[in-house]
Amino acid sequence: METINIKQLTAAIRIIADEKNLPEDTVMEVIEQAIAAAWRRDNGERDQIVRSIIDTKSGEATIYVGRRVVEDVENPINEISLEDARKEKKDAQLEDLIEHEEKATSFGRVAAQTAKQVVLQRLREAEREVVSAAYEDKIGTIISGTVQRVEPRVVRIDLGQASGILPQSEQIQDEYYNVGNRLKVLLKEIERGQRGPQLILSRGSEEFVTRLFEQEVPELESGAVEIKGIAREAGRRTKIAVFSSVPGVDPVGTFVGGHGTRVRAVMNEIGEQEKIDILVYNDDPVEYIKGAISPAEVVRVDIQKGDEKRAKVLVEEDQQSIAIGRGGQNVRIASR
């Protein structure tokens, strides 16, 4: 007969806590939940309100079986009338929990398996929670990871302390991911679902390119230059509008870097196939649109009267295909 020996279990708590890098209190709480589940399996009913407290010195678990005080008892397994509750506790009130004690030292095979499943599941959840708390302040920053597994819709990335997912929508178009590849990713968000927190990563977002430039352009942090707008089709083209209010500072030159070193470093990360256009931001929409539609040379820009969001751009015939771009990407990104 397979049983849980509670004394052995409590001795294992410290080892589990160290291995999983979890607080002892968290592991103790998980074990207590498992003991309660095992007791319910061996001695109680499915709907019973059961909790347990372990005495780490004696190795004994005390089980508390509770019933909620209600006006009309519908389920006697977990409910008790006010009249009966006051026989056990004189000052009982509605919604109080009336508990009685049971002792537990070991359990049968089925209960032992139940407890084991609860421990494993709860420890996984607790581990994920601790990990997500460690990454909470890294949201919106770039971190490095290694490709762990490539699946049809997601790529799993090992980040060291945890793993995250790179969904298809956050990948760079036509980028190949091989197991063991090291790459930079943006920690976009932490999604909390039924299976615990999930780290969502991105390489295809505009913010990823912005953060890469922040790593290469120290003048961004000092405020000498700023990014006024960015639009991107990952794997194809990025347009970035930059500005400086400091006299004598060339914002485009600052981003490009001497001999193109800064923009080259960003391109090395996102892939050579993606073009990066850096233009000067301008408050004048006509001049701004001219810059945005580059590398095409613009003859004239007519802002549509009564509609600030529409403009007609005129170019020479030989510039038309450049202005539109392959598959319309240049004009599409410019409009964004």
Side-chain angles (χ1 to χ4, degrees):
M1 184 179 178
E2 184 188 325
T3 59
I4 305 175
N5 183 309
I6 294 171
K7 203 157 194 172
Q8 288 175 352
L9 196 57
T10 53
I13 286 172
R14 192 168 277 107
I15 298 165
I16 296 169
D18 286 347
E19 271 181 11
K20 299 281 186 185
N21 197 22
L22 293 168
E24 267 184 51
D25 291 353
T26 302
V27 180
M28 179 68 89
E29 203 179 298
V30 167
I31 304 284
E32 286 174 343
Q33 285 172 0
I35 297 292
W39 186 92
R40 193 189 291 113
R41 180 84 204 213
D42 260 8
N43 310 284
E45 304 273 348
R46 177 178 278 186
D47 292 338
Q48 270 183 312
I49 301 166
V50 182
R51 69 184 178 96
S52 78
I53 289 182
I54 297 173
D55 182 334
T56 47
K57 290 193 178 78
S58 69
E60 286 192 346
T62 304
I63 300 292
Y64 294 91
V65 181
R67 285 182 294 169
R68 187 76 58 196
V69 182
V70 295
E71 274 184 39
D72 301 311
V73 176
E74 289 179 10
N75 186 352
I77 288 168
N78 54 30
E79 292 176 341
I80 186 171
S81 70
L82 186 58
E83 188 185 339
D84 288 343
R86 283 185 172 160
K87 289 174 189 170
E88 295 186 32
K89 187 184 172 201
K90 285 179 184 174
D91 60 348
Q93 301 291 328
L94 286 172
E95 292 302 312
D96 281 358
L97 192 67
I98 304 295
E99 293 182 313
H100 66 269
E101 287 184 23
E102 301 271 354
K103 278 276 182 264
T105 49
S106 65
F107 299 96
R109 185 177 59 81
V110 176
Q113 286 174 342
T114 301
K116 193 175 176 183
Q117 283 167 356
V118 170
V119 166
L120 290 171
Q121 185 190 339
R122 295 277 190 273
L123 280 178
R124 271 197 297 270
E125 287 169 8
E127 212 174 348
R128 281 204 198 105
E129 283 298 340
V130 166
V131 163
S132 75
Y135 281 91
E136 202 74 55
D137 61 345
K138 292 190 172 82
I139 293 172
T141 66
I142 284 180
I143 45 184
S144 292
T146 308
V147 176
Q148 199 173 30
R149 203 160 74 240
V150 180
E151 296 172 13
R153 297 194 67 80
V154 297
V155 176
R156 298 195 180 274
I157 310 287
D158 179 10
L159 302 169
Q161 269 182 291
S163 66
I165 62 164
L166 189 66
Q168 200 169 32
S169 59
E170 297 297 337
Q171 294 171 20
I172 295 174
Q173 204 174 338
D174 299 334
E175 186 170 58
Y176 291 99
Y177 304 98
N178 296 314
V179 174
N181 277 10
R182 276 198 70 75
L183 46 87
K184 289 179 179 178
V185 288
L186 175 89
L187 176 53
K188 194 175 182 184
E189 59 182 318
I190 299 175
E191 254 181 23
R192 281 178 168 75
Q194 288 180 332
R195 297 178 66 188
Q198 181 81 267
L199 305 184
I200 308 296
L201 311 172
S202 176
R203 279 178 63 79
S205 63
E206 288 156 359
E207 194 182 354
F208 180 61
V209 172
T210 300
R211 297 287 169 261
L212 287 173
F213 270 111
E214 282 174 356
Q215 290 183 346
E216 300 299 327
V217 183
E219 291 86 349
L220 270 168
E221 198 179 341
S222 70
V225 291
E226 58 183 300
I227 294 171
K228 284 284 195 177
I230 180 167
R232 182 180 189 210
E233 283 187 11
R236 297 286 179 261
R237 196 174 213 118
T238 291
K239 285 182 183 284
I240 184 164
V242 298
F243 178 76
S244 176
S245 55
V246 179
V249 172
D250 168 17
V252 172
T254 304
F255 276 78
V256 171
H259 304 293
T261 50
R262 291 174 174 182
V263 75
R264 174 69 46 207
V266 173
M267 287 176 76
N268 285 347
E269 186 57 50
I270 63 174
E272 297 290 325
Q273 77 283 0
E274 186 169 331
K275 300 282 181 284
I276 298 178
D277 298 339
I278 303 170
L279 58 124
V280 179
Y281 172 79
N282 199 309
D283 282 330
D284 178 351
V286 169
E287 292 305 316
Y288 193 26
I289 290 166
K290 279 183 180 177
I293 211 83
S294 66
E297 290 171 22
V298 177
V299 174
R300 198 172 78 239
V301 174
D302 295 335
I303 305 289
Q304 304 288 288
K305 284 188 168 60
D307 188 350
E308 290 178 0
K309 295 291 182 188
R310 294 182 76 84
K312 188 183 281 183
V313 179
L314 283 85
V315 296
E316 296 286 359
E317 204 169 329
D318 64 343
Q319 294 291 304
Q320 191 178 349
S321 60
I322 301 168
I324 293 167
R326 188 184 298 169
Q329 57 160 261
N330 192 58
V331 74
R332 191 164 56 243
I333 299 169
S335 70
R336 276 163 54 196

